[in-house]
Amino acid sequence: MRRIPRPHLDEHVFLLLRQVQIQSMKLAERQCLAAGVTVAEYALLRIVENTPRVTAGEARKRMLSSAPSVAQLVKRLERKGLIGREQDARDIGRQKITLTAQGRRSIAVARKEIQSALQALKIPGSVLHSLEGHLALISSSLSSYGG
């Protein structure tokens, strides 16, 4: 790999991150569609899986999405029978989102499809662990910057 002059290194890394994002989204889209969900639906399902009884507002913050986008996703997933909503016992104006058995199955299928595709890339675990740490640092820096 050729060495990039320092003044251009940050921009080069930024462009590489963008390229990886686009390529990984294409991979995720193919794998999620094989499981019957979109990437956005899968993301919301995973939030509900990891945060049982999450509200749409809390999910919106975690997805970095708009309220109307999340509301659409919730309605779509509810129509598909993958999530349900129940009234918050403490606040009648809030609804909690829950996974259905079918939603858990869809997550499992999509996760298996994505992991299978990623394993086919044959990226060593040591590289992935190192990358995870570096990406967490970049994400944290971007968050503190206001991103």
Side-chain angles (χ1 to χ4, degrees), residues 34-89:
V37 294
T38 67
V39 173
E41 290 170 343
Y42 179 66
L44 181 56
L45 288 170
R46 293 283 285 126
I47 288 169
V48 176
E49 177 185 47
N50 291 321
T51 314
R53 299 177 43 79
V54 68
T55 65
E58 293 163 344
R60 178 193 62 77
K61 289 176 188 171
R62 290 170 194 224
M63 292 183 74
L64 304 174
S65 293
S66 68
S69 294
V70 172
Q72 269 186 339
L73 281 173
V74 168
K75 287 177 187 171
R76 205 162 58 222
L77 289 172
E78 198 170 27
R79 277 194 305 269
K80 288 182 172 185
L82 304 180
I83 62 169
R85 290 190 269 184
E86 57 187 49
Q87 210 66 43
D88 186 334

Side-chain angles (χ1 to χ4, degrees), residues 8-42:
H8 303 289
L9 182 60
D10 295 343
E11 180 183 16
H12 184 71
V13 169
F14 173 79
L15 293 172
L16 280 172
L17 285 171
R18 178 72 176 129
Q19 184 179 8
V20 168
Q21 177 202 16
I22 291 167
Q23 291 170 337
S24 62
M25 283 299 292
K26 287 179 180 178
L27 180 141
E29 285 170 1
R30 281 192 303 273
Q31 304 319 118
C32 284
L33 288 177
V37 294
T38 67
V39 173
E41 290 170 343
Y42 179 66

Side-chain angles (χ1 to χ4, degrees), residues 73-138:
L73 281 173
V74 168
K75 287 177 187 171
R76 205 162 58 222
L77 289 172
E78 198 170 27
R79 277 194 305 269
K80 288 182 172 185
L82 304 180
I83 62 169
R85 290 190 269 184
E86 57 187 49
Q87 210 66 43
D88 186 334
R90 288 181 250 161
D91 183 351
I92 198 156
R94 289 172 52 140
Q95 291 186 330
K96 301 287 187 169
I97 303 170
T98 59
L99 278 177
T100 64
Q102 186 177 347
R104 281 188 280 285
R105 284 191 298 276
S106 289
I107 290 171
V109 170
R111 181 184 292 125
K112 182 180 175 195
E113 292 287 335
I114 291 169
Q115 287 177 345
S116 175
L118 290 173
Q119 287 171 355
L121 298 176
K122 299 190 186 311
I123 300 170
S126 60
V127 171
L128 292 175
H129 285 293
S130 176
L131 181 60
E132 179 183 29
H134 293 300
L135 289 175
L137 177 64
I138 292 169

